[in-house]
Amino acid sequence: MSLAISLFVTFPVIYSGVKGVEVNQIKLARTFGASKAQILTKVILPGSIPTMIAALKVNADLSLVGVVVGEFQSASVGLGYLIQYGSQIFKMNIVMTAITILALVSSVMYLAISRLEAAVMRRR
């Protein structure tokens, strides 16, 4: 479930990022005799890095949602199971603890990606 959610979001976003690379930069690289592999590695990929990082930020949270929804359906362990089980037996402390843990995990993932973004943009 997590993979399906992420793929449906990632492909259109990365495709638009690759299409958003300046055509003149590609033409300039061709003029200087760059091969297709060089154009990809030196022009297209560096030009679409901000879009890829934005897609990674969105996918980190969506993959968590996919995992929890999958656990709602068929798991006997995990945070999604705890949320569902806690709501069935009216134990709000279990539900809120699982939701708090999910929020913390999501925040840590987002901060890690933000630091990766800062490091990549500094090099760029």
Side-chain angles (χ1 to χ4, degrees):
M1 183 65 131
S2 174
L3 180 67
I5 290 173
S6 295
L7 287 178
F8 285 120
V9 172
T10 303
F11 283 141
V13 170
I14 290 181
Y15 180 75
S16 68
V18 168
K19 284 297 198 183
V21 174
E22 286 282 332
V23 177
N24 291 333
Q25 290 177 345
I26 297 171
K27 287 180 183 177
L28 180 66
R30 281 192 189 136
T31 301
F32 284 126
S35 66
K36 288 183 179 183
Q38 288 174 328
I39 291 172
L40 177 68
T41 58
K42 305 291 183 188
V43 178
I44 294 174
L45 288 179
S48 60
I49 283 178
T51 306
M52 289 181 194
I53 291 177
L56 188 61
K57 284 181 179 179
V58 170
N59 283 335
D61 292 331
L62 282 179
S63 64
L64 257 151
V65 169
V67 168
V68 171
V69 168
E71 289 174 357
F72 282 162
Q73 298 298 320
S74 63
S76 60
V77 293
L79 294 174
Y81 171 76
L82 283 178
I83 293 170
Q84 186 176 20
Y85 176 72
S87 66
Q88 288 174 351
I89 62 169
F90 301 109
K91 295 276 186 167
M92 285 306 291
N93 58 346
I94 295 174
V95 174
M96 291 310 294
T97 303
I99 290 173
T100 303
I101 292 171
L102 278 172
L104 289 173
V105 169
S106 177
S107 297
V108 167
M109 288 172 54
Y110 187 83
L111 287 173
I113 294 169
S114 293
R115 290 196 179 174
L116 173 72
E117 179 183 24
V120 167
M121 291 311 212
R122 233 182 293 127
R123 285 186 175 179
R124 198 171 168 221

